[in-house]
Amino acid sequence: MAATLNTSAVLPAVDVVWRWLAEVPDPEIPVVSITDLGIVRSVHYDGDTLVVAVTPTYSGCPATAVIDLAIEEKLRAKGTDKLRLERRLSPPWTSDWITAEAREKLRAFGIAPPIDGTSASGVMAARARRMTGKGNLVVACPRCGSTHTERVSQFGSTPCKASWRCKDCLEPFDYFKCI
Amino acid sequence: MNKTTEQDVSNPVEDAFVADAALAPAFFAWLCRMGDNALILGHRVSEWCGHAPALEEDIAMANTALDLIGHTQMWLGLAGEVEDKGRDADALAYLRDALQFRNLLLCELPNGDMGLTLMRQFLFDARHHLMLEWLTRSASPRVAEIAAKAVKEASYHLERSSDLVVRLGDGTEESHRRMQAAVEQLWPYVDEMFVTDAVDDAMAAAEIAPRPCDLRKEWDETVRSVFAEATLDVPGAVGFAQTGGNLGRHTEHLGYILAEMQFLQRAYPGASW
C-alpha cells in the first residue's frame, strides 16, 4: 500500500519562518533586522505556498528590491520551495513600527532613533514649524547623549534619515526620521 | 525564478475599478498624469545630483527625486494593470514618446538656477500634497493606498520647499530678486495644474479623484501665506496660461529629457540590471 505523503506536515510553522526572517538584516542599517523595522507585514500559507508580505519604508527606497532578494535567499536556504512575496502598501509603513529593542540598537550604532508623533503631517504642520522656528523636537546625540543638538537637513544619507549635529561633542549624526 | 524583481511581487488588494473596462480609458489617462508628473519632475530634480550649491541640498534633491521615482513606479504600475495590454511601469516610462506623456508642462521646464528649481518644486508640492491628501479617501482602494504612502513623503517635500522659499525670498537682495523672477517666469504654468477636463470629470464621478479646479482655493491660500512670509509678490492675472501637457502637447524640453532617460532601453531593449 502506497503511503500518502502529507506535505503540510513538513512545512515549517509560521512562527519558525518569523524567526528566520528576524535573522535577515536591513541592507542599509545591518544592525537591525527587517522584522525589527516592522516591514514584514504577514507570513502565511496559501495551500503549500509560503506567502510573505513586505511593505516598503519609502516608496523609492532602493533597498526594497535588495530586501526582497535577501528574504528569498534566506527562505530558500532554509529549504522553502514554494514562495510568493507580496507588496503590501496599506497601512503605509510608519517609523512607529520600529521595535523598542531596535531603537536601542540604532542608538548604539550611532543613529538617533525616531521620536514618535513628530512626522511632518502636512501644510499646517509645516507652517507651524516655520512660525515657531525649528519646532520643539529634541533629539539626543547618540554618542554623548547631549540634547544640545540641531538639524542640519531634513534629508540625510538614506531616504529614512535626517542629518543632525551635536553642539556639545560636535559630531554629526543621523536621525531616523518619523514618517 | 532566479531573483525577485519589482514585477514579480504581487499586490493582492481587491479593487473593482482596476478591471472596469468602461472606466479604463479615463482611469489609465489619469494614472499616466499622476505617474508622468512624478517621473518627469523626479528626473529634472535628479539632474541636480552632484551639482547643488550645498551638500545638504544635493542630498535633499536626490532624496526628493527618489521619492518621486518611487511614486512613478506605483502610479505607472497601476496604469499598466488598468490598461491591461501587458505594459508595466518600465514599459510606460521608457517606451512611450513625448506625445504619449501626460505630465504638466511645469514639471518638464529646465531647472534654471536653484531659485527657479525650488520655486517650481514649491508650486508643484503645494498642489501635489493637496491632491494626495484627497486621494487617501479615494473610492479606489489601490489609488488610496498609493496616496497614503506618497503623502507622507510629499509632506516632507512641501515642508522643505516652503521653508526654502521663505528663507530665500526673505533672504538677501540677490536671493529675493531671483525668487521673485522665478515666480514671474513660472506663473504662466500655474493654471494648468487646475485645468479640469473629461478625464477628471470621469474620475470625479467615480469618486476616485478630485476635480483639479476644486483644489485651487486651498492652493491659493497656501501660496499666499508662504509668499507673504517670503516677502514675494503674487503675480496678477497673466491673461494666458500655458496648457496642453496633460493632453500630450509639450514644450520642446520634454524630448530632450526623454532622449536621455530612455536612451538605454531604446538602444538595448529589455536590458535590466
Side-chain angles (χ1 to χ4, degrees), chain B residues 222-265:
Chain B
T222 303
V223 170
R224 248 197 303 276
S225 79
V226 170
F227 277 17
E229 224 185 310
T231 70
L232 295 170
D233 295 327
V234 179
V238 283
F240 68 98
Q242 302 286 1
T243 61
N246 62 11
L247 297 173
R249 293 196 305 272
H250 291 278
T251 67
E252 67 273 29
H253 307 297
L254 183 63
Y256 291 95
I257 296 177
L258 298 185
E260 179 174 328
M261 190 176 80
Q262 298 181 332
F263 168 78
L264 197 104
Q265 281 302 322

Side-chain angles (χ1 to χ4, degrees), chain A residues 1-12:
Chain A
M1 190 173 94
T4 310
L5 180 64
N6 182 357
T7 51
S8 66
V10 298
L11 292 173

Side-chain angles (χ1 to χ4, degrees), chain B residues 79-175:
Chain B
E81 287 181 54
V82 168
E83 188 195 36
D84 199 23
K85 289 182 183 167
R87 293 201 283 184
D88 61 7
D90 279 0
L92 291 169
Y94 293 127
L95 301 175
R96 282 178 303 157
D97 210 341
L99 290 172
Q100 280 90 48
F101 271 76
R102 295 290 178 264
N103 59 283
L104 296 162
L105 301 177
L106 181 73
C107 299
E108 70 200 40
L109 297 179
N111 286 334
D113 61 9
M114 272 293 279
L116 192 83
T117 294
L118 290 169
M119 183 55 70
R120 180 186 61 196
Q121 192 69 38
F122 170 65
L123 299 174
F124 178 82
D125 288 346
R127 190 255 198 196
H128 193 209
H129 192 271
L130 284 173
M131 173 64 91
L132 292 174
E133 262 190 339
W134 195 103
L135 294 177
T136 60
R137 303 182 300 273
S138 171
S140 158
R142 293 288 297 277
V143 167
E145 69 167 6
I146 293 172
K149 184 76 196 162
V151 75
K152 290 171 162 235
E153 293 155 11
S155 294
Y156 275 108
H157 300 174
L158 179 59
E159 187 192 335
R160 167 176 168 269
S161 61
S162 54
D163 178 55
L164 284 169
V165 163
V166 171
R167 288 204 271 164
L168 291 171
D170 189 18
T172 65
E173 208 174 295
E174 175 67 3
S175 71

Side-chain angles (χ1 to χ4, degrees), chain A residues 40-120:
Chain A
V40 179
R41 301 309 301 158
S42 75
V43 175
H44 71 274
Y45 282 99
D46 176 6
D48 58 356
T49 299
L50 179 61
V51 182
V52 178
V54 184
T55 196
T57 52
Y58 281 70
S59 53
C61 184
T64 307
V66 182
I67 289 168
D68 290 341
L69 188 58
I71 291 172
E72 185 171 355
E73 274 173 0
K74 168 65 78 177
L75 297 179
R76 296 269 184 242
K78 295 289 185 184
T80 304
D81 181 25
K82 294 184 181 170
L83 171 66
R84 187 170 82 237
L85 295 184
E86 283 181 354
R87 176 78 61 245
R88 182 79 53 87
L89 284 181
S90 56
W93 184 80
T94 163
S95 41
D96 296 354
W97 292 346
I98 300 175
T99 62
E101 305 82 58
R103 287 163 196 252
E104 286 317 306
K105 288 187 212 168
L106 287 171
R107 201 192 308 279
F109 188 61
I111 300 171
I115 297 168
D116 290 346
T118 58
S119 56

Side-chain angles (χ1 to χ4, degrees), chain A residues 11-25 33-35 45 50 74-80:
Chain A
L11 292 173
V14 163
D15 60 331
V16 173
V17 176
W18 273 104
R19 283 203 292 278
W20 292 342
L21 294 173
E23 296 166 9
V24 177
S33 75
I34 57 172
T35 55
Y45 282 99
L50 179 61
K74 168 65 78 177
L75 297 179
R76 296 269 184 242
K78 295 289 185 184
T80 304

